[in-house]
Amino acid sequence: MIKMSEEFEIRNKVAESGLINFDLSTLVPKGERKGIDLKDFLFQEMILKEKDFREKVEAINADDYKNTYIYIYNSVDTIIPLWAYFVLTAKLTDVAKKIVFGNREDLEVILMHNAIQTYDFSDMTGKRVLVKGCSDKEIPENAYIELVEQLKPIVKSLMFGEACSNVPIVKN
């Protein structure tokens, strides 16, 4: 049996290093995501009839989309006139947090883009930063690219992964 004397102290070298651990998942906007498929507004899922389209948009209960992130997509091979997007967006823009055209992944890329562009990274200036490698949330790959663009000019060093096994990215 080995006895520990008072001269041996357990130290957290990572905590003492001044390393900033940054978890990109903390920037993922919270809120429900809802998709709207334009095929549901088409006659026989093929033709957009203006009168029918406007009636269906008018029948939408806007409260169902309150404080949500909406992605509008078209799952059928039909040409949709641009004014249709205007009409649908105008119906929901006062209640939704954000509306985009595209699929769920497109929505997430745009949300993360906005989050990264508006985040204040100034507390990382001149510091050693470790971007967490694993997350319980799905992060679009583009978010990591944008994060490097933001951090490279200001940090002393940038690493990716975990404190025990990281990959050096930038050393200034």
Side-chain angles (χ1 to χ4, degrees), residues 54-72:
R54 287 181 181 277
E55 287 173 359
K56 287 179 181 179
V57 169
E58 191 57 39
I60 293 173
N61 181 359
D63 287 339
D64 291 344
Y65 295 92
K66 189 171 185 156
N67 295 319
T68 63
Y69 297 99
I70 300 171
Y71 55 100
I72 300 171

Side-chain angles (χ1 to χ4, degrees), residues 90-140:
K91 171 72 178 189
L92 299 171
T93 196
D94 293 335
V95 295
K97 289 183 180 180
K98 181 76 177 165
I99 304 171
V100 303
F101 175 79
N103 58 31
R104 170 74 184 257
E105 292 78 26
D106 296 328
L107 172 66
E108 297 303 332
V109 167
I110 290 168
L111 292 178
M112 286 304 292
H113 168 79
N114 292 345
I116 290 168
Q117 295 303 311
T118 58
Y119 188 82
D120 180 9
F121 292 102
S122 62
D123 63 329
M124 297 182 194
T125 302
K127 303 283 173 70
R128 298 173 60 232
V129 178
L130 173 65
V131 177
K132 186 176 178 183
C134 296
S135 176
D136 57 347
K137 296 179 183 172
E138 198 167 318
I139 309 291

Side-chain angles (χ1 to χ4, degrees), residues 15 34 40 51 62 85 104 117 155:
K34 288 190 174 186
D40 299 331
K51 184 178 183 236
Y85 300 108
R104 170 74 184 257
Q117 295 303 311
V155 299

Side-chain angles (χ1 to χ4, degrees), residues 109 139-146:
V109 167
I139 309 291
E141 286 85 356
N142 196 62
Y144 292 98
I145 292 169
E146 289 192 51

Side-chain angles (χ1 to χ4, degrees), residues 4 6 9 16 21 43 51-52 62 72 88 108 134 162 164 169 171:
M4 300 272 304
E6 288 185 24
E9 176 184 337
E16 294 173 359
N21 287 297
F43 175 71
K51 184 178 183 236
D52 293 347
I72 300 171
L88 186 54
E108 297 303 332
C134 296
E162 303 301 323
C164 60
I169 307 297
K171 267 196 182 201

